[in-house]
């Protein structure tokens, strides 16, 4: 249970086709005609679409920008959270002081009579 296990790669299960290289069989000369038939009824072949890159490649400068941006985001989020916590603490302190002040004002009025 506590011994590491190294995974074993399974054998390929699909059909593997061998690579066939064209071979030159004879010296073939092109055959030219005087008038070539013009063929306008076929659509042109669509242009091949390049495959998107699957991996993001970062240069050292790009990596430094990403790290600096992440650190800046952490600092900004931390400052916002600390300021919100400070606002809650100040509000709680003022709410706690209000009844004390009101009680002292009411007690002062009762004593003067």
């Amino acid at each position: 249970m506590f011994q590491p296990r190294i995974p074993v790669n399974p054998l390929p299960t699909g059909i593997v086709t061998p690579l066939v290289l064209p071979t030159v069989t004879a010296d073939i000369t092109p055959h030219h005609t005087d008038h070539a038939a013009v063929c306008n009824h076929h659509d042109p072949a669509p242009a091949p679409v390049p495959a998107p890159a699957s991996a993001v490649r970062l240069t050292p400068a790009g990596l430094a920008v990403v790290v600096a941006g992440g650190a800046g985001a952490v600092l900004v989020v931390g400052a916002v959270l600390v300021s919100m916590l400070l606002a809650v603490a100040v509000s709680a302190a003022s709410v706690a002081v209000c009844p004390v002040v009101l009680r002292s004002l009411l007690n002062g009025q009762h004593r003067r009579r």
Side-chain angles (χ1 to χ4, degrees):
M1 182 168 127
F2 295 107
Q3 294 177 352
R5 295 191 178 136
I6 300 173
V8 178
N9 290 334
L11 295 175
T13 57
I15 299 172
V16 178
T17 57
L19 178 63
V20 178
L21 298 175
T23 58
V24 178
T25 57
D27 186 21
I28 301 173
T29 58
H31 177 67
H32 296 287
T33 58
D34 291 337
H35 57 291
V38 177
C39 181
N40 291 330
H41 65 277
H42 293 288
D43 292 333
V49 178
S54 61
V56 177
R57 299 181 190 272
L58 288 176
T59 61
L63 184 63
V65 167
V66 169
V67 169
V74 167
L75 290 176
V76 167
V77 169
V80 168
L81 291 177
V82 167
S83 65
M84 289 174 65
L85 181 65
L86 184 62
V88 168
V90 167
S91 300
S94 65
V95 167
V97 167
C98 285
V100 173
V101 171
L102 288 175
R103 187 179 66 183
S104 68
L105 287 175
L106 291 175
N107 285 340
Q109 286 181 353
H110 289 291
R111 289 182 189 165
R112 289 182 192 158
R113 289 183 185 188

